[in-house]
Amino acid sequence: MIQVFNFNLDKELNNILLSYYSYLKQNNFSSKKSIEYIHYILENLDIKKYANKIIFEKQLLANGFFDPNHCSITINENYLEKMQLAYNMNFLKKEIIIIEFLTLLFHEIKHILQFKTKTETSNITINDILNISSYLKQIANKREKYFHNLFPDEIDANISSGLFIYNFANQNKELELDLENAEKNLIYYLTLGYITNGEILPCSQIKFLYHNLLNQEFLEEQYNLNNFENIFYGFTKTEEQNKKLLKSYQTQKLCLDIK
Amino acid sequence: MGKKDRINNSRNIKIQISLSDGRMQVQVPGDGSTMNVYNFENQKTTKHSHIHYKDENDKESKHINRGIANAAHTFDKPEHPTIVLVKSSDDFDYKYESLSERFISLLSKEQLMMLKQQLNTMNSLNDNVKEKEKHL
């Protein structure tokens, strides 16, 4: 079992999120108070030393990113404004927009936790996987958008954040957080890049990247991952897992037990 | 800044010894420990010179299966490139907007068209304001 720093929805964090959620229903994502909430979350997760700046930036080319050199998380305000516009036009419910925002926020927070894992633990396996992921990103053709969702650290951040928000919605059903959409959100990230147009990638995500970027075979046997970790880091999944993932994708109902 | 420079900066490690098998022994900042890593710059210019990136304008080449098939034909002997030391992701340009696919997936085509129209209107209003500010 690999020890990694992860989100743990304990009572205190749950309370912060409950309060934050109520606040977001009536207020802007980029308000001063909202940024204060994000700081509380970072403090609760004990990662403030890795990210003590929260920036909302309109000129960002991505929806968000974590910069370890400047200890900052940057969120694309333009993206949030587009969602707000869709809300103003009655296309989206506020709850859905909050799910999107929180998933984006916790995606970046997961990158901080990955960085913390790399920095504070001596676990060779997880450090290897995260380092390989960084290396593959460097050599990837930057014009090729498709690869981005297949890098192990991105898969981990996508699924972890989607799962975290789903668990939060599940634990606080009285909130009307739209559990159904939180579930669809999780399924979207569980299958992103791996299942396209109803077809499963013919090999694991990491093998696919090695084939395409290095022209080499990735030897998964060197890494002793369990069934859950195989999903989180894009390694080869069991036949049963593939069936359940595909069924989740087709039915938009979670058919897979993941942590 | 060239790609090579960026990679050198991002590593931020002290190279100690070049090993005969193409690897380097490097010192990790902080704890001072050493580890063996492959010299990827050499690999990229020699060992991996056959790697070809797909043309982004060629829609067919983006197909997953074809990508795999192409790669399979040009396989060298399997070799695991082992450990890499990249401590930050600052040299990755983050131009990908794939996460917004989820946002797009929430809207119907009609809604997207209306939203696009609305955004265009807002952009042109913004441009008009900027143009007026220029003349003030």
Side-chain angles (χ1 to χ4, degrees), chain B residues 74-136:
Chain B
T74 53
F75 267 4
D76 274 344
K77 62 177 181 180
E79 184 190 12
H80 184 46
T82 73
I83 306 160
V84 287
L85 264 184
V86 182
K87 289 224 161 195
S88 73
S89 54
D90 63 328
D91 48 3
F92 186 58
D93 69 0
Y94 291 97
K95 277 181 182 168
Y96 305 124
E97 293 180 308
S98 52
L99 283 171
S100 60
E101 285 170 16
R102 160 74 183 151
F103 172 46
I104 290 166
S105 75
L106 293 167
L107 300 174
S108 68
K109 195 179 172 184
E110 278 181 356
Q111 287 176 330
L112 276 174
M113 291 308 290
M114 287 170 75
L115 185 62
K116 193 179 169 188
Q117 205 174 17
Q118 185 70 19
L119 286 167
N120 285 340
T121 310
M122 286 168 72
N123 282 338
S124 58
L125 284 172
N126 200 23
D127 289 344
N128 287 342
V129 172
K130 280 180 187 168
E131 195 60 33
K132 280 181 185 171
E133 281 174 348
K134 270 186 193 173
H135 295 294
L136 285 175

Side-chain angles (χ1 to χ4, degrees), chain A residues 14-251:
Chain A
N14 192 55
N15 286 341
I16 296 171
L17 277 176
L18 281 173
S19 176
Y20 191 23
Y21 174 76
S22 306
Y23 176 81
L24 289 177
K25 277 186 90 171
Q26 308 294 335
N27 297 279
N28 282 341
F29 297 115
S30 56
S31 66
K32 196 181 166 191
K33 184 79 179 165
S34 171
I35 291 172
E36 275 176 27
Y37 271 111
I38 299 171
H39 279 290
Y40 291 144
I41 293 167
L42 297 178
E43 213 166 280
N44 180 273
L45 292 166
D46 194 22
I47 47 176
K48 270 204 88 169
K49 70 172 177 176
Y50 297 110
N52 51 27
K53 289 189 211 87
I54 313 297
I55 303 161
F56 283 86
E57 167 70 57
K58 284 197 176 182
Q59 300 300 320
L60 207 61
L61 291 166
N63 292 332
F65 78 97
F66 160 58
D67 183 348
N69 292 330
H70 297 96
C71 295
S72 64
I73 296 178
T74 312
I75 304 283
N76 190 339
E77 201 173 1
N78 220 355
Y79 176 56
L80 300 176
E81 279 184 0
K82 279 179 196 169
M83 287 201 291
Q84 185 64 36
L85 186 60
Y87 167 70
N88 294 343
M89 295 168 84
N90 286 326
F91 293 163
L92 289 178
K93 288 193 291 182
K94 186 78 178 185
E95 290 79 9
I96 292 178
I97 300 175
I98 295 175
I99 289 173
E100 291 296 310
F101 169 70
L102 290 178
T103 308
L104 173 60
L105 176 65
F106 277 89
H107 176 101
E108 301 312 328
I109 289 176
K110 180 62 197 188
H111 281 315
I112 304 173
L113 290 164
Q114 288 168 345
F115 186 73
K116 184 180 176 180
T117 301
K118 280 204 297 190
T119 311
E120 294 186 16
T121 67
S122 54
N123 190 307
I124 294 169
T125 307
I126 190 65
N127 283 355
D128 256 19
I129 294 170
L130 294 175
N131 281 331
I132 284 170
S133 191
S134 300
Y135 171 63
L136 290 175
K137 274 184 178 177
Q138 284 193 341
I139 63 165
N141 185 349
K142 290 177 181 177
R143 292 172 302 173
E144 182 56 86
K145 288 182 182 180
Y146 180 77
F147 288 140
H148 188 67
N149 299 319
L150 303 177
F151 297 118
D153 61 340
E154 294 298 334
I155 300 170
D156 180 29
N158 278 338
I159 299 177
S160 297
S161 56
L163 181 59
F164 182 76
I165 301 305
Y166 173 69
N167 287 339
F168 174 65
N170 212 5
Q171 275 189 35
N172 303 281
K173 286 176 184 157
E174 72 281 4
L175 276 182
E176 298 172 351
L177 185 60
D178 201 338
L179 182 60
E180 190 186 335
N181 229 290
E183 187 175 9
K184 285 180 182 172
N185 184 49
L186 171 59
I187 292 164
Y188 175 82
Y189 288 115
L190 258 175
T191 56
L192 185 59
Y194 186 57
I195 298 177
T196 312
N197 298 329
E199 285 183 20
I200 294 181
L201 202 67
C203 57
S204 71
Q205 289 101 317
I206 194 159
K207 279 190 172 176
F208 177 84
L209 288 172
Y210 261 57
H211 281 312
N212 283 273
L213 298 175
L214 297 173
N215 226 2
Q216 289 181 350
E217 186 69 43
F218 181 75
L219 303 177
E220 291 188 348
E221 306 77 52
Q222 294 188 4
Y223 299 90
N224 187 24
L225 301 185
N226 67 27
N227 281 345
F228 297 110
E229 290 156 350
N230 283 343
I231 295 175
F232 277 77
Y233 294 106
F235 279 55
T236 299
K237 275 133 308 262
T238 65
E239 202 176 322
E240 190 64 19
Q241 284 176 325
N242 276 335
K243 274 183 191 171
K244 286 181 175 177
L245 280 169
L246 195 56
K247 197 177 171 190
S248 301
Y249 178 86
Q250 287 163 343
T251 61

